[in-house]
Amino acid sequence: ALQAVIRRIDVLHGLVQQYPNIINYYPDPDIALIASDICFQQGVASTVLFNDAERAASESAYLFRLRTERVDYVRRLCDGRALQILPDRKMRNSLIHIDEHLAKALQKPNTGWFIDTAIGWRDQLVAERPGTEIAFCRTYISSEDSILHLGNQISLAKLRDESAFVLAAVFGQAVS
């Protein structure tokens, strides 16, 4: 999943660079798919490597012990480096349980949504109706090199850096 995150970020940057004169919107349909996959892969990596949640009712004591040992092992190998994105539980839950979180968010009144898209900057469009909020789900903002997702901001530079660091620290895989 970490390798996929890095590859998808690199591909996304390449696709966005193909449209240097477009400011407001990126028309390549693969951009939305790649941003969505970055979120999915980030959620998977975060769950596997950093999920330190309490034992779930459906989780056996043995599997819980294995999971907590794995998380402790990863943290030891990361040697106290201040990782901000991959271990973020709130972000992980919004990515992994997107169906539940998005269904709830879509019920918020007076809200317009950008979902699975890429735009130049977050405030480039203003709602026609006063009092309408603009919200984002898996939306790539090129001016910030970030994905906005249900109240979370994912810096792709930081996510790529953290993914490369964890790959090197835990799996011995150097990434350029």
Side-chain angles (χ1 to χ4, degrees):
L2 293 172
Q3 290 174 335
V5 165
I6 292 167
R7 286 189 192 119
R8 302 303 186 280
I9 289 171
D10 292 347
V11 169
L12 177 64
H13 287 155
L15 287 173
V16 169
Q17 288 173 358
Q18 291 178 16
Y19 301 98
N21 298 322
I22 296 179
I23 297 170
N24 296 332
Y25 178 75
Y26 295 93
D28 192 308
D30 289 337
I31 291 173
L33 296 171
I34 291 168
S36 177
D37 195 44
I38 289 169
C39 291
F40 173 76
Q41 298 295 339
Q42 176 187 343
V44 169
S46 178
T47 298
V48 170
L49 299 170
F50 296 100
N51 184 3
D52 60 356
E54 296 292 320
R55 181 178 164 202
S58 61
E59 187 175 33
S60 73
Y62 174 71
L63 290 178
F64 175 71
R65 183 174 58 80
L66 289 178
R67 179 170 58 85
T68 56
E69 287 175 359
R70 180 178 59 244
V71 170
D72 290 343
Y73 174 76
V74 169
R75 285 195 174 135
R76 262 193 326 275
L77 291 177
C78 291
D79 197 24
R81 178 169 169 169
L83 299 174
Q84 299 171 344
I85 297 174
L86 288 171
D88 186 317
R89 182 178 180 163
K90 178 182 175 251
M91 191 177 306
R92 173 176 57 245
N93 286 340
S94 75
L95 295 168
I96 293 296
H97 305 290
I98 185 171
D99 52 341
E100 301 161 23
H101 288 264
L102 183 57
K104 183 178 177 182
L106 288 174
Q107 294 177 20
K108 186 176 178 185
N110 300 319
T111 304
W113 285 88
F114 279 99
I115 300 175
D116 291 336
T117 192
I119 54 179
W121 58 94
R122 73 173 74 201
D123 61 351
Q124 74 183 39
L125 298 176
V126 178
E128 288 183 21
R129 192 174 49 200
T132 300
E133 180 184 340
I134 302 295
F136 303 91
C137 175
R138 296 184 307 215
T139 299
Y140 177 67
I141 309 295
S142 65
S143 63
E144 301 174 29
D145 193 30
S146 294
I147 292 175
L148 302 181
H149 177 68
L150 301 176
N152 298 295
Q153 180 166 344
I154 305 165
S155 162
L156 294 188
K158 287 181 183 177
L159 176 59
R160 189 184 192 291
D161 181 56
E162 285 186 17
S163 297
F165 175 79
V166 173
L167 271 173
V170 176
F171 301 102
Q173 296 179 12
V175 177
S176 58

